[in-house]
Amino acid sequence: DSNLPDNTDVLSVGGYVKLDGGAITKDSSVSTQTATSGSTLTDSLTVADNSNRVIILSLTSYISPADVPTGITFGSQSFTKLDEYGNTDGNSSVWYLVNPNVGTDTVTATWASSIGKRGFTAYSFYNVAQTNPLSGFTTASGTSNVATGSITPTATGSAIFSSISWLLGGSAGAHAVPDLDGEYYLYTGGKGGASSYNLTPTIGSANSMGYTSLDNNGGTSESSVYKIGMVEIKKGNSTW
């Protein structure tokens, strides 16, 4: 069928045709942050008309570990919180939305009261499992100018995703740059966050998901407290 996507595998057995939707693929992403106090944070994200869509969002806030959003939405659709992980300098959490509506809409994170520094990254992926799309959440933490963590995906075709909250010291412009594909943001005074993904990890082995703290001149910034959350993204099921 010439209308099938290029990355669709077709297998015919005994008159039945099996369609494998292809590898997990990133569609679009957005990154936003603010140091201005408020109870919401918003940005727009465009989701293309692909099969087995999932949005994955990572969020960090600085100052209080209790600053967890009361909810996150994409238009009228609500995200599910996968897990949260924080330290004495703030809170981080990973959220997801299965089968988001196609088109451009607003991602809105809402808090119960006004807070200060906060930011999020959001990614639209497709060919992702629509039931239990994320699994194996794990964390890593430390104090360094090179943050390191690893995760071992277990299922064939899985991808991996990570999010970091980093105090980043007081260097002007210090920011967490992912070793892999991803997004990062900076509040002020060297506080910020980032996220990254690997669409082709080695299944059954530990895969590194690291970040480097850089200053405005591209040099390595000073050692700082960090915490990373990592998760496996499961591939969408094949259909007959």
Side-chain angles (χ1 to χ4, degrees):
D1 188 335
S2 61
N3 293 319
L4 291 173
D6 292 339
N7 61 355
T8 300
D9 296 324
V10 181
L11 173 66
S12 179
V13 179
Y16 292 92
V17 176
K18 181 180 181 181
L19 299 179
D20 185 333
I24 295 173
T25 305
K26 177 202 161 190
D27 167 31
S28 60
S29 64
V30 66
S31 173
T32 189
Q33 59 76 35
T34 185
T36 302
S37 295
S39 59
T40 62
L41 183 63
T42 66
D43 209 335
S44 62
L45 180 70
T46 299
V47 176
D49 189 5
N50 296 302
S51 299
N52 296 327
R53 302 181 300 276
V54 168
I55 298 175
I56 301 175
L57 181 146
S58 68
L59 180 146
T60 65
S61 58
Y62 174 71
I63 294 177
S64 171
D67 287 335
V68 183
T70 55
I72 299 177
T73 57
F74 178 64
S76 61
Q77 297 177 283
S78 296
F79 281 73
T80 298
K81 185 175 73 173
L82 173 70
D83 214 327
E84 63 181 89
Y85 57 103
N87 53 40
T88 57
D89 299 302
N91 180 273
S92 305
S93 51
V94 175
W95 304 64
Y96 66 94
L97 174 61
V98 173
N99 194 30
N101 292 329
V102 173
T104 301
D105 216 326
T106 302
V107 178
T108 302
T110 302
W111 285 262
S113 58
S114 180
I115 68 167
K117 303 177 179 72
R118 59 202 187 279
F120 69 70
T121 62
Y123 299 79
S124 172
F125 294 100
Y126 59 96
N127 295 334
V128 177
Q130 299 295 281
T131 302
N132 300 322
L134 306 179
S135 68
F137 185 83
T138 186
T139 63
S141 59
T143 301
S144 178
N145 51 24
V146 177
T148 58
S150 66
I151 183 171
T152 302
T154 60
T156 300
S158 285
I160 52 177
F161 178 88
S162 76
S163 171
I164 186 171
S165 174
W166 214 341
L167 181 58
L168 295 174
S171 293
H175 51 281
V177 178
D179 295 343
L180 304 167
D181 291 329
E183 302 274 358
Y184 67 84
Y185 52 86
L186 172 71
Y187 316 129
T188 57
K191 287 83 176 176
S195 59
S196 66
Y197 61 91
N198 183 352
L199 300 179
T200 56
T202 302
I203 306 301
S205 297
N207 290 255
S208 175
M209 304 201 81
Y211 299 80
T212 302
S213 174
L214 300 181
D215 59 26
N216 278 336
N217 298 318
T220 303
S221 185
E222 72 266 31
S223 180
S224 304
V225 175
Y226 70 84
K227 193 158 190 179
I228 303 173
M230 296 159 286
V231 69
E232 178 176 355
I233 309 172
K234 296 293 188 66
K235 185 176 180 294
N237 294 329
S238 303
T239 59
W240 288 90

